[in-house]
């Protein structure tokens, strides 16, 4: 039986051929665009266009240990995410002084915080208590189920089913017959079936792109913005992998009192508010932005309403969090790519200064589309090789649901972690 990786590779080569050989006319640009989009979304994570991943294994040497570790990445991901430069060159950005009234640290976690007891874990595994009933805040331990929540488990099974359905469509006699006869009407019907597998019932590529324009790869909510503004009010944020900057823009607008107006009218841009404290320092390597600046330029309405014009180019995600300007800020990671980028960023942030003690991670948990097991093991205090507790311990301070994506095939949550000193 073919492995999922070989299947995806086979589908990747067959989908373009399936539509190039049927005589699709040059004026059918929409069908061609949809076919190209579907080629890149065969992993069926069903997140907006440039926010997709699947699984294969590659060897990645960690900077500190030099050992080979297994991380989740894919040929699809390599097309969507340029490999982060881990040579740790200096950031190509100006030195930014911290706000003069910036608080140095967050309040210390309650010393009475405890990890989940054996009884609680037993009741949870027996399905006698729900995931949402687990106490928060709490100390994290290697056995904590925080990153293996029920929605994600069901979603991963659903993705496998969708992948099988897509395979059946691509190998069906109906598709072969439509290709042979160059039947454009039949091909359009097959495209609709593929859309259902990839995006969900009634969800079009345009609807997905509209979501991506407004929120980025995963959506914030008013409750999320209010909570983040509160925890970062005296500290500010540093966001790495900000993309087009929708979250940075929304947070800055919220901090400047434009939360209610952000989606109804144009809020002041950073360029018009140089006198204000920059609440979010946003960085990205700009290699593969979810939405192309050639199409979404500064004169377009989505850029004016939702994008952040303060995203700085930075070639090293590690250097971005080690600078003086990031000291004491909250680290924000929104939908990081699969692989080691997230764990390297969190480790560099935590090791740079004792004041760097709070991490906000927005994405899917273990086995999902974001980061890798190494990040989740690190936050749980687990050594991946022998499952022993390492020096740093983290407390889970908050879990929040993100805005549901069109089609409901994304399973992200917002997690807030604070280091226990």
């Amino acid at each position: 039986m073919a492995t999922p990786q070989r299947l995806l590779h086979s589908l990747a080569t067959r989908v373009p051929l399936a539509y190039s050989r049927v005589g699709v006319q040059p004026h059918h640009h929409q069908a061609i665009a949809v076919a190209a989009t579907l080629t890149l979304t065969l992993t069926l994570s069903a997140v907006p266009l440039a926010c997709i991943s699947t699984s294969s294994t590659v060897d990645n040497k960690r900077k500190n240990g030099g050992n080979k570790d297994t991380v989740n990445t894919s040929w699809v991901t390599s097309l969507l995410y340029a490999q982060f430069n881990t040579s740790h060159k200096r950031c190509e950005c100006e030195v930014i002084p911290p706000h003069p009234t910036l608080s140095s640290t967050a309040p210390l976690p309650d010393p009475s915080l405890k990890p989940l007891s054996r009884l609680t874990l037993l009741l949870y595994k027996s399905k006698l208590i729900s995931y949402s009933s687990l106490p928060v805040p709490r100390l994290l331990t290697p056995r904590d189920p925080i990153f293996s929540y029920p929605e994600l488990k069901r979603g991963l099974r659903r993705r496998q089913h969708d992948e099988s359905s897509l395979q059946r469509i691509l190998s069906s006699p109906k598709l072969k017959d439509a290709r042979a006869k160059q039947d454009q009407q039949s091909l359009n019907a097959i495209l609709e079936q593929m859309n259902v597998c990839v995006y969900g019932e009634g969800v079009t590529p345009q609807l997905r792109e509209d979501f991506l324009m407004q929120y980025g790869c995963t959506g914030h909510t008013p409750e999320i913005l209010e909570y983040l503004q509160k925890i970062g009010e005296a500290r500010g944020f540093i966001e790495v992998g900000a993309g087009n900057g929708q979250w940075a823009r929304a947070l800055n607008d919220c901090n400047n009192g434009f939360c209610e107006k952000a989606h109804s009218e144009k809020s002041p841009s950073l360029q018009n508010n140089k006198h204000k404290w920059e609440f979010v320092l946003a960085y990205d390597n700009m290699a593969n932005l979810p939405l192309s600046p050639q199409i979404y330029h500064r004169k377009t309405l989505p850029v004016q309403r939702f994008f952040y014009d303060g995203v700085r180019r930075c070639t090293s995600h590690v250097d971005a969090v080690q600078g003086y300007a990031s000291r004491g800020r909250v680290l924000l990671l929104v939908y990081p790519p699969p692989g080691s980028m997230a764990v390297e960023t969190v480790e560099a942030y935590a090791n740079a200064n004792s004041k760097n003690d709070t991490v906000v991670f927005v994405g899917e948990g273990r086995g999902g589309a974001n980061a890798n097991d190494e990040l989740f093991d690190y936050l749980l205090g687990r050594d991946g090789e022998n499952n022993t507790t390492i020096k740093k311990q983290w407390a889970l301070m908050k879990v929040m649901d993100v805005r549901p994506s069109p089609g409901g095939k994304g399973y992200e949550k917002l997690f807030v972690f604070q280091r226990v000193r």
Side-chain angles (χ1 to χ4, degrees):
M1 179 179 293
T3 64
Q5 290 76 24
R6 291 182 180 178
L7 170 61
L8 288 172
H9 180 74
S10 174
L11 297 184
T13 57
R14 290 166 59 186
V15 170
L17 290 176
Y19 297 102
S20 63
R21 295 179 181 176
V22 297
V24 176
Q25 299 302 316
H27 62 276
H28 291 115
H29 295 299
Q30 183 177 5
I32 296 174
V34 172
T37 300
L38 291 169
T39 303
L40 294 179
T41 55
L42 293 179
T43 56
L44 304 177
S45 61
V47 291
L49 300 182
C51 311
I52 306 164
S53 71
T54 184
S55 296
S56 66
T57 56
V58 298
D59 288 328
N60 178 56
K61 286 193 174 182
R62 295 296 310 284
K63 180 185 72 172
N64 56 354
N67 295 325
K68 290 185 177 182
D69 297 320
T70 299
V71 297
N72 290 329
T73 184
S74 66
W75 63 271
V76 178
T77 305
S78 66
L79 295 176
L80 301 176
Y81 291 105
Q83 293 295 328
F84 278 83
N85 186 338
T86 56
S87 59
H88 305 279
K89 296 179 181 178
R90 299 307 303 172
C91 289
E92 298 174 358
C93 51
E94 68 273 24
V95 177
I96 308 160
H99 189 262
T101 61
L102 186 66
S103 175
S104 59
T105 59
L108 291 175
D110 187 344
S112 65
L113 284 181
K114 298 184 182 299
L116 295 179
S117 66
R118 291 184 180 181
L119 177 59
T120 301
L121 287 170
L122 178 61
L123 293 174
Y124 176 74
K125 291 179 180 179
S126 302
K127 299 183 179 180
L128 296 176
I129 58 175
S130 65
Y131 179 88
S132 59
S133 299
L134 296 176
V136 177
R138 65 178 184 263
L139 294 180
L140 293 176
T141 64
R143 294 185 178 183
D144 198 294
I146 182 62
F147 297 117
S148 299
Y149 42 97
E151 302 97 314
L152 178 60
K153 291 181 178 180
R154 291 192 296 268
L156 295 178
R157 291 194 295 268
R158 182 181 179 184
R159 286 178 187 170
Q160 292 178 348
H161 177 268
D162 289 341
E163 185 177 306
S164 299
S165 298
L166 190 60
Q167 181 190 20
R168 287 194 295 270
I169 293 173
L170 291 173
S171 60
S172 66
K174 185 177 180 180
L175 174 59
K176 295 178 182 179
D177 185 61
R179 289 171 54 191
K181 296 180 179 179
Q182 298 187 5
D183 187 346
Q184 190 64 46
Q185 185 175 359
S186 297
L187 285 175
N188 289 337
I190 293 173
L191 281 175
E192 290 296 326
Q193 295 178 25
M194 296 172 70
N195 274 335
V196 173
C197 289
V198 176
Y199 298 115
E201 189 73 36
V203 180
T204 64
Q206 184 59 54
L207 186 60
R208 298 291 302 179
E209 188 164 352
D210 290 343
F211 182 89
L212 186 62
M213 285 189 295
Q214 184 167 348
Y215 300 107
C217 294
T218 189
H220 50 73
T221 64
E223 294 77 17
I224 284 178
L225 295 179
E226 181 180 357
Y227 175 79
L228 293 181
Q229 194 276 336
K230 182 178 180 180
I231 68 170
E233 185 174 13
R235 306 181 64 190
F237 288 86
I238 177 167
E239 182 182 4
V240 180
N244 298 107
Q246 290 91 336
W247 279 63
R249 172 65 174 273
L251 279 172
N252 266 305
D253 287 348
C254 189
N255 190 60
N256 292 332
F258 288 89
C259 281
E260 298 300 323
K261 299 180 180 181
H263 294 165
S264 60
E265 63 182 59
K266 181 182 176 183
S267 56
S269 67
L270 177 64
Q271 293 177 351
N272 297 330
N273 286 272
K274 289 295 184 182
H275 64 283
K276 288 185 176 293
W277 173 41
E278 193 169 355
F279 188 54
V280 182
L281 297 180
Y283 295 93
D284 199 280
N285 66 358
M286 307 291 185
N288 281 284
L289 294 176
L291 295 173
S292 171
Q294 281 69 40
I295 299 175
Y296 295 92
H297 52 80
R298 62 182 181 179
K299 293 185 179 180
T300 59
L301 185 60
V303 172
Q304 295 176 4
R305 292 184 64 185
F306 307 121
F307 289 17
Y308 188 50
D309 54 11
V311 179
R312 294 170 169 81
R313 182 186 300 275
C314 200
T315 57
S316 169
H317 49 281
V318 169
D319 285 341
V321 296
Q322 289 181 328
Y324 179 69
S326 67
R327 184 177 300 179
R329 289 180 177 264
V330 176
L331 174 62
L332 176 62
L333 293 172
V334 178
Y335 211 92
S340 61
M341 173 268 185
V343 68
E344 290 175 353
T345 303
V346 172
E347 286 184 327
Y349 165 83
N351 293 334
N353 194 277
S354 60
K355 300 175 182 179
N356 296 348
D357 57 8
T358 306
V359 175
V360 178
F361 170 78
V362 187
E364 294 185 343
R366 195 180 295 275
N370 307 110
N372 60 4
D373 286 348
E374 199 171 356
L375 172 68
F376 307 128
D377 290 341
Y378 173 78
L379 292 171
L380 293 176
R382 175 191 295 170
D383 186 328
E385 294 182 357
N386 52 28
N387 200 34
T388 59
T389 301
I390 55 181
K391 292 183 179 179
K392 287 185 175 64
Q393 187 174 20
W394 294 82
L396 173 69
M397 306 304 293
K398 191 76 170 179
V399 180
M400 301 183 74
D401 291 328
V402 300
R403 183 179 297 274
S405 59
K409 293 191 176 184
Y411 311 103
E412 307 90 22
K413 286 184 180 292
L414 180 143
F415 303 91
V416 180
F417 306 99
Q418 189 171 342
R419 190 175 60 187
V420 179
R421 296 189 299 276

